[in-house]
Amino acid sequence: MDVPLSITKASLFLVGTIFSHLATGTIWAQFCDDIGCSANCGLAVDVTNPHCLAREWGRKSIKLHGEDFIGAYLVHSPGPDCDCQNDCTAIQGMGTPTCMDISHGATARSYRFQLTTCKEIEGGSGIGNNCDSSSSSDGDLKTMII
């Protein structure tokens, strides 16, 4: 029985697409209160989920776990709604340390992950830091925490 070549190619493409999607890894992140990823780590979130994480302010590290991950970026925002970017942390993917210190980044009240660059200097679609100086004030955040 001869199967037309176009059906064979379509079948191989479909099977390959399904299996390559299953092989794409994910990585999970937990925000922690200390730089060693051991104190008060929160719930794990999928790094491929671009939604705003508004209740992680004051955190100092991210614990990462998963496999076959290709990388992402963590966008820091001074406001509670991920309204602008005042810092960007690259998460390199495979070979990434399981604990990343984010305590040296700009003060943030919310975070979000994205798969495309958020760094203007990398030449991609990154917008760079785009908060006005009044929204990135550390003093306002410290007053709110106290």
Side-chain angles (χ1 to χ4, degrees):
M1 174 178 176
D2 289 329
V3 178
L5 187 58
S6 61
I7 292 174
T8 304
K9 284 183 180 180
S11 299
L12 289 173
F13 174 77
L14 182 60
V15 169
T17 302
I18 291 168
F19 284 113
S20 68
H21 180 68
L22 293 175
T24 301
T26 58
I27 196 160
W28 298 87
Q30 293 174 274
F31 289 83
C32 305
D33 285 348
D34 66 330
I35 62 169
C37 293
S38 61
N40 194 30
C41 296
L43 296 175
V45 295
D46 184 350
V47 171
T48 62
N49 184 340
H51 291 98
C52 185
L53 300 165
R55 296 190 176 146
E56 302 296 346
W57 53 271
R59 301 298 197 136
K60 294 183 172 63
S61 64
I62 305 171
K63 181 189 282 189
L64 301 164
H65 45 97
E67 55 187 52
D68 298 331
F69 177 63
I70 60 171
Y73 294 87
L74 176 67
V75 176
H76 305 241
S77 272
D81 302 318
C82 297
D83 51 339
C84 66
Q85 171 183 317
N86 66 346
D87 203 356
C88 173
T89 301
I91 302 170
Q92 298 300 323
M94 295 185 62
T96 296
T98 57
C99 181
M100 291 186 67
D101 180 357
I102 60 170
S103 66
H104 301 292
T107 302
R109 290 182 59 204
S110 59
Y111 299 94
R112 66 182 167 81
F113 291 101
Q114 66 184 43
L115 298 179
T116 57
T117 185
C118 54
K119 296 186 177 203
E120 187 176 30
I121 60 172
E122 291 182 355
S125 58
I127 58 170
N129 297 344
N130 64 352
C131 300
D132 63 30
S133 60
S134 65
S135 67
S136 61
S137 166
D138 288 347
D140 292 342
L141 181 60
K142 289 176 185 168
T143 302
M144 293 181 69
I145 293 173
I146 295 174

